Amino acid sequence: MDIEQLPSVGEPLLVTAEDLAPSCSDIELVADIWAADSHAARHAAELAVSVAAFARRRHIQRDAEFRPRGGPGLDSRLRRHQALAEVSETFVPELALVRNCTEVEAENLAAESIVLVNKLRGTWTALYEGRLDVRKMRAMVDLLAGVRQEIIDQIEQQVLPAAETLTVPLLRQRVRRLLAKLDADALDKRREEAARSANVTHRPTGDGLGQVVIDLPVARSAACVDAIDQYAQMLRADGDTRPIGVIRAAVAADLILRPWDTTRPPVTAKLVIHAPLASLHERGTTPQPGAEIDGEIVTAAECRELLEELDFLGVADGPTGGSVHLAIEDPTTGRLRALATPRELRRAAARCDCKGPGLRAPRATPGYRPTAELRRFIQVRDRHCRMPGCRRRPGRLDIDHADAYADGGATSCDNLCCLCRKHHRIKTFAAGWHFELLDDGRLIVRTPTGVTRHTDPPAWYLDAEPDPPWLDETAPPDPMRC
């Protein structure tokens, strides 16, 4: 680089990947990899110390302000990580806002940091010194979190000296073998805790697919997979030419949904689809916007395939047990303006003389509880909990007044938003938290430490609103332009 090309004082220096290793030998590159791993390990150790210290300042005594009415429910208490037993319930949401991450990630980091700093002192030292990487540290924390301190000390003394030469699976195997010898009760307790937290969850994997994850005992889960495989092999023997994995997936879905069984009480599954009208037409020359199925972005073609399968593409009144609601949104900002069923839309379209009520957002109600129209509008507009980082969807959400009803807050679209029960309780009872719903729909959340985040209502058009074409004509003349 020539001297004339050097940046001036105060101007940031642009660094590219090629600048970091312009002509290094193989040995130098290997040394750089080791050094980067050591730096990452030390940073993880320092982060754990800060998070654990922050957690100590958010002691569970703070939750006394919630009072019995505002306390967590049964499921929340059962799911609570044992490492967070003495920490306020508000700590994880606050840490999530501080790090701008999801609460699942924040909870895992909080529990990991508390266990690492307070119980696994030898592991923390090895991590800080770079003798143990982050993946091996997490294996140690995962296996030893619920073990007595004297057993932890014994295992660390036997495992850590050789941990640097072990892979993560070998390290976990060695720790489990020592646990079975020194404290078999800890492994049994771990298994019992895992059984209490068993669940059935949906995990999107991208590309229009998702996984149904079922937590079962090892023997029962193996039996389920073997049964599914046997049914799939029967179909293959009968001439099914699909890949065997695709057959297994179809068999598993049929065994759960049982479309052939009419003797059982009917169960209506709820599937929320948000699709711009342009996505419902066949592909033309212009790009088509994507759609949203149960919170996941899909292509217009995949959305049409699903709607055709449900015989839903004609925007009819919906199948038995289902319904269709058309969202009328601002074509520029994507902000929800009205919500209507096909019948309401046809009735509004018939009023060409504009003397009827037309389509608009639901009117405010003088009572505390939102009307069915208000509730439907808010759920479609927000789609999930509006707390930054939270993605809980309607069905498990409260419709909350941004300005409390008791303080004069209106029960209207501009003063209502979706919050899950946990964040609703934090907004209502926790000291030092501030929630503010702006006129444009943004929700501002400020933590007791002053960290501020905001969320916007989901919209199809995320670009900035363009200037209208007449703006230049009405703008005053620029005195600096001749």
Side-chain angles (χ1 to χ4, degrees):
M1 180 180 291
D2 297 333
I3 189 68
E4 291 112 0
Q5 296 176 332
L6 291 174
S8 58
V9 177
E11 183 179 350
L13 179 63
L14 178 63
V15 178
T16 64
E18 290 76 13
D19 295 330
L20 297 179
S23 58
C24 293
S25 65
D26 289 355
I27 296 299
E28 290 172 321
L29 291 175
V30 170
D32 287 344
I33 293 173
W34 287 343
D37 283 340
S38 296
H39 289 314
R42 174 162 292 192
H43 290 159
E46 293 170 345
L47 176 62
V49 170
S50 298
V51 172
F54 195 14
R56 286 194 293 272
R57 300 187 182 186
R58 298 293 185 267
H59 195 268
I60 196 172
Q61 291 176 350
R62 283 175 167 245
D63 291 353
E65 61 198 13
F66 280 68
R67 300 186 296 276
R69 182 185 174 191
L74 175 62
D75 288 338
S76 296
R77 295 195 301 270
L78 291 177
R79 286 196 302 264
R80 189 175 180 84
H81 196 288
Q82 60 179 355
L84 303 177
E86 299 300 321
V87 180
S88 170
E89 189 187 12
T90 66
F91 173 66
V92 169
E94 185 173 3
L95 181 61
L97 294 188
V98 168
R99 302 196 73 239
N100 203 17
C101 64
T102 66
E103 289 193 16
V104 173
E105 182 182 346
E107 182 176 5
N108 291 337
L109 175 62
E112 173 187 290
S113 300
I114 292 171
V115 172
L116 179 63
V117 172
N118 296 335
K119 299 185 67 176
L120 276 66
R121 303 180 185 92
T123 301
W124 184 90
T125 301
L127 182 70
Y128 185 79
E129 294 174 351
R131 295 184 289 108
L132 200 70
D133 62 33
V134 176
R135 296 173 298 113
K136 295 176 184 177
M137 174 272 291
R138 286 177 175 157
M140 296 285 288
V141 170
D142 178 48
L143 291 170
L144 299 178
V147 180
R148 301 195 310 272
Q149 188 63 52
E150 60 269 21
I151 303 298
I152 292 177
D153 295 340
Q154 293 183 51
I155 292 177
E156 284 186 327
Q157 291 174 6
Q158 298 185 49
V159 169
L160 290 179
E164 193 172 1
T165 64
L166 300 174
T167 62
V168 174
L170 287 177
L171 177 64
R172 294 182 68 92
Q173 186 181 58
R174 185 166 296 188
V175 172
R176 287 186 67 88
R177 184 178 290 114
L178 288 172
L179 272 175
K181 176 183 177 181
L182 300 174
D183 192 3
D185 292 340
L187 290 179
D188 292 333
K189 182 180 178 182
R190 177 184 174 89
R191 176 171 54 83
E192 293 170 358
E193 291 176 352
R196 282 198 299 269
S197 61
N199 199 359
V200 178
T201 56
H202 170 240
R203 182 182 300 166
T205 58
D207 299 324
L209 298 179
Q211 294 178 340
V212 177
V213 182
I214 307 175
D215 300 318
L216 293 171
V218 173
R220 181 168 293 185
S221 62
C224 290
V225 172
D226 184 65
I228 290 171
D229 181 66
Q230 291 187 49
Y231 285 123
Q233 296 296 344
M234 292 178 187
L235 291 175
R236 169 62 61 83
D238 290 339
D240 195 327
T241 59
R242 294 176 295 173
I244 191 64
V246 175
I247 301 176
R248 292 191 190 106
V251 166
D254 285 344
L255 289 174
I256 294 174
L257 299 176
R258 306 176 68 85
W260 63 85
D261 189 355
T262 60
T263 63
R264 297 172 180 267
V267 175
T268 300
K270 182 177 181 181
L271 187 64
V272 180
I273 303 172
H274 292 270
L277 195 59
S279 298
L280 303 183
H281 301 295
E282 293 294 335
R283 179 184 294 274
T285 57
T286 59
Q288 292 181 303
E292 187 177 302
I293 297 178
D294 219 31
E296 295 298 316
I297 302 299
V298 300
T299 64
E302 182 178 352
C303 179
R304 287 197 303 273
E305 290 175 5
L306 175 63
L307 293 176
E308 288 172 353
E309 182 181 345
L310 298 175
D311 193 20
F312 224 32
L313 198 54
V315 193
D317 292 326
T320 304
S323 61
V324 173
H325 294 100
L326 302 175
I328 292 83
E329 298 179 339
D330 189 292
T332 301
T333 64
R335 186 176 181 182
L336 184 62
R337 296 299 185 185
L339 188 69
T341 64
R343 184 176 301 175
E344 292 169 342
L345 187 63
R346 288 192 293 268
R347 185 171 65 246
R351 295 190 173 108
C352 298
D353 55 2
C354 299
K355 294 181 180 179
L359 290 176
R360 58 173 61 90
R363 301 180 184 276
T365 180
Y368 171 76
R369 297 189 179 279
T371 62
E373 291 78 10
L374 271 172
R375 178 175 294 274
R376 186 181 68 184
F377 183 91
I378 299 301
Q379 289 179 341
V380 170
R381 183 197 67 186
D382 291 350
R383 305 184 198 171
H384 53 74
C385 175
R386 291 290 306 281
M387 180 76 166
C390 184
R391 302 289 295 179
R392 292 184 180 91
R393 291 192 285 273
R396 295 181 292 175
L397 302 180
D398 296 335
I399 306 297
D400 177 57
H401 290 75
D403 294 330
Y405 181 79
D407 297 334
T411 306
S412 64
C413 297
D414 296 333
N415 192 46
L416 296 173
C417 71
C418 286
L419 288 177
C420 67
R421 182 61 54 87
K422 177 180 180 179
H423 295 132
H424 190 179
R425 291 189 292 103
I426 289 176
K427 171 184 176 294
T428 305
F429 297 105
W433 287 79
H434 176 74
F435 289 68
E436 181 179 1
L437 187 63
L438 304 183
D439 293 338
D440 60 3
R442 285 183 298 164
L443 178 67
I444 310 296
V445 180
R446 187 169 65 244
T447 71
T449 52
V451 176
T452 302
R453 305 289 184 192
H454 80 276
T455 58
D456 298 288
W460 292 112
Y461 301 93
L462 303 180
D463 298 331
E465 183 175 353
D467 293 332
W470 43 261
L471 184 62
D472 290 336
E473 302 174 5
T474 58
D478 188 350
M480 302 300 295
R481 180 178 297 176
C482 298

